[in-house]
Amino acid sequence: IQYLPMKTIPVLFLMLISLTSMATIRTVNNRGGAQFTSLQAALDAATVGDTIYVFGSVVSYGDVTVRKRLILIGAGYKPINQQNMPSTIGTMSLFRDTGSSDPSGSVISGFSISSLYGYQSTSGFAVNNIRLFRNYIRSLNTAGNNTFASGW
């Protein structure tokens, strides 16, 4: 039996990790010029761990549902940039069920959000460990089905 040199094992381990942790960066601009014009389409196409950059716009991106752990980055709720346009969302629902839907651990930054719901289906599982920063959120509800989210 031939053994691998001790230096080879950590290198193989790092290569294996890098192959399994390849996250995609997706861009959204409802005025065109990005990979997606619909934020919901980008959310649906994303896989766990992806990053979605959302351009500022005078038009809201509407209501969206997040069903997986993602990093969402907007232009800011009151950006000081060339266009001064925020990334605005109507209602954002973070939805978790007993299947593959679980946005727990997501990061949401740089949005103006009318309503943010961290709710679950009838399963009773809470959406936990959501990181929110640089957002303006008019209404926030993290409770439902007699369970409360934690780590927000």
Side-chain angles (χ1 to χ4, degrees):
I1 300 176
Q2 184 178 6
Y3 293 97
L4 294 172
M6 198 58 158
K7 293 180 189 177
T8 307
I9 294 171
V11 171
L12 290 174
F13 180 71
L14 289 174
M15 287 175 59
L16 179 64
I17 289 175
S18 68
L19 290 175
T20 60
S21 64
M22 299 293 287
T24 301
I25 296 175
R26 302 174 190 278
T27 57
V28 182
N29 188 341
N30 57 15
R31 296 173 296 139
Q35 294 167 311
F36 295 90
T37 55
S38 162
L39 177 54
Q40 188 62 59
L43 292 168
D44 294 343
T47 58
V48 171
D50 283 358
T51 298
I52 300 176
Y53 289 111
V54 182
F55 286 76
S57 175
V58 294
V59 179
S60 172
Y61 284 92
D63 299 342
V64 297
T65 301
V66 181
R67 298 178 180 272
K68 52 197 101 154
R69 182 180 48 82
L70 299 169
I71 299 170
L72 305 174
I73 301 174
Y77 67 90
K78 192 173 181 181
I80 301 172
N81 57 27
Q82 291 176 340
Q83 292 82 27
N84 292 325
M85 293 183 290
S87 298
T88 305
I89 296 173
T91 298
M92 177 182 280
S93 301
L94 304 176
F95 182 80
R96 181 177 180 183
D97 64 14
T98 57
S100 61
S101 294
D102 186 1
S104 294
S106 291
V107 176
I108 302 167
S109 173
F111 290 93
S112 176
I113 304 171
S114 294
S115 299
L116 177 60
Y117 293 99
Y119 71 93
Q120 55 283 336
S121 67
T122 56
S123 66
F125 292 113
V127 177
N128 299 312
N129 303 317
I130 302 298
R131 293 187 57 206
L132 301 168
F133 57 99
R134 291 184 56 239
N135 296 296
Y136 173 80
I137 302 170
R138 184 175 303 156
S139 170
L140 175 65
N141 183 355
T142 62
N145 296 332
N146 298 317
T147 60
F148 295 92
S150 66
W152 283 53

